[in-house]
Every structure is written in C-alpha cells, then in structure tokens.
C-alpha cells in the first residue's frame, strides 16, 4: 500500500453519493476538500441527523464507548430492538464511533459496547488489518459520516496473529489467501520477537498499534481529521474471558 500524497486542506460535509462516485482514495480526498461553496449555499436546508444524541466530541465518544463496555462486561446491558430503532435510521446514519475489529465470531463490537443500531460503524477483517478496503471504509466514516473517533480493536488469542507468529517462528505455510493475510502481520511479530515474554500477546498489542499508525500514515483524510482535533484514534484489546476492552492509550 502506497502512502497517499494528496494534500487535504479542509474537511467539509460531503454527500454519500458524491463519495461513492469517486474513484479510489485520491478521488475521495479531492471531494472532501472541494465542496465548500455548495454546502454553504444561502438558504440551504440544514438536515437534522437521525440520532442527535450521537453528535459527540472525540472524548465524549470514547467515554460513551467505554461506559457501554462496562455495562456489557457486568451483564447489565440495555434493551435494544429493531422495532423501536428502525424508523429514525431509514433515511440516514450518524454513528458516534468507528471500530476496526477482527472478524473473530467471539468479538462482536455492537454487543461489546452495548450499542444500538446506528451507533457504531464497524469494519471487520481477520487480524483487524488496515488494508485498502478497511481504509476506504474508515475514510468514508470520517469524511462522510463525521465519526469523532476510530477504535482499532484486537483481542487475545487471535488466530490470525497466531498464524503470523507461526510463520515467524516455525516457517508455517497456510493454504489459499490465509498465507498472505497472516504474512501482513509479520512486521508486528518481528518488532516484538526476541523481547516478549509471551510472543502472541505482545504481537497482538503491536498489531493494534501498527494499525493505528497505518491509519494516519496511509490516509490524508484520517490524518487531517486527527490533526484538526475532529478525530481521535484509539487502540484496545478485547479480553475473551471478561468481555472487557483494555485501552492501549491515545497514541500509536
């Protein structure tokens, strides 16, 4: 994946249709920076977001996310049902956070943070990797949906990271595309190899930290939003035994 060189001078409102009609990351970045005049047209209708309660600062979004995780881990989740939530979400969405999560079936972000429909924009792939598809999805969340935070969420006992560890330590070879997926996490493994007491645990944490860095380094849209304090990027590890998410800190 090459680093995006397009300079983004300002992040402004962008329609979903406009974003989806763009081609590639560069087109999205240009669209984000180029529609100021039309969005400030005199008499333009101000649309009320589907969930006004989801308009939060980055710090407020993180606080709400972790309060939900505390409820989940304690077994006191709120009641959520489709019938009571469907009408307000038919014509749009404004989630208060985006989550890049592993595809592991034991880790379900919407449950883990006790959220309702329309609250989280979740992108999932084995090993919570920042590949082109995940990056484009998260750029959409930031540029179009205006999410104030992104959580890169790993989890303990991750099989995808474990496969990378096996490649690094045993020369393991896996069938199909599993090999290339696992190999993409080798940099995280190699950074902690030789110094970690538990190589898998250390590699899982490093993989999350690498993901946070890749979001900044590979996306001008995300980097600009963070630099202008419109976005916070956070890393965390979900503990299978407790359901709790342990934050790694607010820097990569």
């Amino acid at each position: 994946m090459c680093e995006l060189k397009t300079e983004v001078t300002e992040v402004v409102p962008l329609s979903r249709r406009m974003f989806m009609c763009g081609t590639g990351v560069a087109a999205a970045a240009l669209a984000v920076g180029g529609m100021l005049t039309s969005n400030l047209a005199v008499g333009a209708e101000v649309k009320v977001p589907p969930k006004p309660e989801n308009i939060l600062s980055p710090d407020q979004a993180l606080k709400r996310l972790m309060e939900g995780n505390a409820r989940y881990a304690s077994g006191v989740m709120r009641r959520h049902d489709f019938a009571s939530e469907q009408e307000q979400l038919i014509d749009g969405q404004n989630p208060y956070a985006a989550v890049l999560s592993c595809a592991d079936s034991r880790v379900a972000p919407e449950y883990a943070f006790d959220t309702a429909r329309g609250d989280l924009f979740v992108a999932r792939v084995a090993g919570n990797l920042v590949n082109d598809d995940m990056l484009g999805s998260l750029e959409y969340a930031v540029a179009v949906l205006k999410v104030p935070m992104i959580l890169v969420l790993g989890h303990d006992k991750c099989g995808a990271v474990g496969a990378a560890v096996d490649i690094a330590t045993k020369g393991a070879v896996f069938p199909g595309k599993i090999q290339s997926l696992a190999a993409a996490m080798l940099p995280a493994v190699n950074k902690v190899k030789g110094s970690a007491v538990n190589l898998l645990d250390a590699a899982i944490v490093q993989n999350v930290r690498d993901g946070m860095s890749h979001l900044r380094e590979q996306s001008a849209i995300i980097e600009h939003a963070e630099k202008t304090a419109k976005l916070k990027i956070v890393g965390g590890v979900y503990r299978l035994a407790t359901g709790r998410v342990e934050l790694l800190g607010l820097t990569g």
Side-chain angles (χ1 to χ4, degrees), residues 160-172 182 185-186 189 199-201 203:
V161 179
V165 169
D166 286 345
I167 293 175
T169 59
K170 304 174 185 178
M185 288 171 280
L186 278 174
V189 177
L199 182 55
L200 176 58
D201 288 348

Side-chain angles (χ1 to χ4, degrees), residues 17-107:
R17 181 177 180 182
M18 184 185 308
F19 187 95
M20 299 309 292
C21 287
T23 57
V25 174
L30 290 172
V32 170
M35 295 306 296
L36 180 60
T37 303
S38 62
N39 279 289
L40 296 181
V42 177
E45 180 182 356
V46 178
K47 188 175 181 180
V48 177
K51 305 188 80 170
E53 68 274 18
N54 282 359
I55 302 177
L56 303 172
S57 70
D59 287 337
Q60 289 171 333
L62 179 59
K63 181 175 183 290
R64 180 172 166 187
L65 203 66
M66 297 311 294
E67 287 175 345
N69 180 243
R71 291 193 303 273
Y72 167 79
S74 300
V76 289
M77 296 172 67
R78 294 172 176 170
R79 178 179 181 272
H80 304 291
D81 67 86
F82 177 71
S84 64
E85 298 165 351
Q86 66 181 109
E87 186 172 352
Q88 67 185 136
L89 297 172
I90 292 174
D91 296 323
Q93 59 172 320
N94 64 309
Y96 74 84
V99 180
L100 172 58
S101 170
C102 182
D104 193 295
S105 65
R106 300 168 292 179
V107 183

Side-chain angles (χ1 to χ4, degrees), residues 11-20 27-35 39 139-140 143-146 221:
V11 175
V12 296
L14 171 68
S15 72
R16 290 168 177 77
R17 181 177 180 182
M18 184 185 308
F19 187 95
M20 299 309 292
L30 290 172
V32 170
M35 295 306 296
N39 279 289
E139 286 183 329
Y140 176 82
V144 180
L145 303 180
K146 306 301 179 187
I221 293 172

Side-chain angles (χ1 to χ4, degrees), residues 7-12 29 31-34 36 224 230:
E7 180 180 0
V8 178
T9 58
E10 184 174 10
V11 175
V12 296
V32 170
L36 180 60
H224 178 77
K230 296 176 181 177

